[in-house]
Amino acid sequence: MGLPVVHFEIIGQEPERLRGYYGELFGWEFATGDAATEKVSAPGAYGFVGAASTGLNGGVGGGAGYERRVLFYVGVPDVEAALREAERLGGTRLLGPERAPGGDLVVGQFTDPEGNLIGVAGPA
């Protein structure tokens, strides 16, 4: 079995509006806080949504100056090793490894050879 998708993100310029949209559309409820790093979302603007609501943990965030995107994170045992492998196979590292403040989570992001943004997450 391959590595699992463990998290998704929807990032935009108006995160509160996006949370309202997806909350009404899909019945999602959010716990607002900080993302793993300010490079992902403005402080206090990241809305976590749990797997009980969506089938998979996720978040909706962003803010002024954040690039709009939808991406998913694959759980990996070693974020740095996964990013190096992504690069070896023709991808481009964009972020990470970045450790979540006060947590045991590390995240990274890369683009695949076609330019699609993909995230990886694993233990610190």
Side-chain angles (χ1 to χ4, degrees), residues 28-67:
W28 295 354
E29 295 181 11
F30 299 93
T32 306
D34 294 336
T37 173
E38 287 183 26
K39 293 177 183 173
V40 170
S41 182
Y46 194 83
F48 293 90
V49 59
S53 293
T54 63
L56 177 68
N57 291 317
V60 177
Y66 286 85
E67 183 179 339

Side-chain angles (χ1 to χ4, degrees), residues 9-31:
E9 287 181 337
I10 302 170
I11 303 297
Q13 301 285 306
E14 298 180 55
E16 187 174 325
R17 182 172 173 239
L18 282 173
R19 287 191 298 276
Y21 175 82
Y22 286 105
E24 189 169 336
L25 181 64
F26 297 133
W28 295 354
E29 295 181 11
F30 299 93

Side-chain angles (χ1 to χ4, degrees), residues 40-99:
V40 170
S41 182
Y46 194 83
F48 293 90
V49 59
S53 293
T54 63
L56 177 68
N57 291 317
V60 177
Y66 286 85
E67 183 179 339
R68 294 171 182 95
R69 65 182 180 269
V70 174
L71 74 139
F72 62 87
Y73 286 81
V74 175
V76 297
D78 183 329
V79 169
E80 175 60 32
L83 292 170
R84 280 195 312 266
E85 184 67 1
E87 290 174 310
R88 185 187 75 74
L89 294 170
T92 302
R93 180 190 308 228
L94 298 180
L95 172 73
E98 292 274 338
R99 186 179 182 142

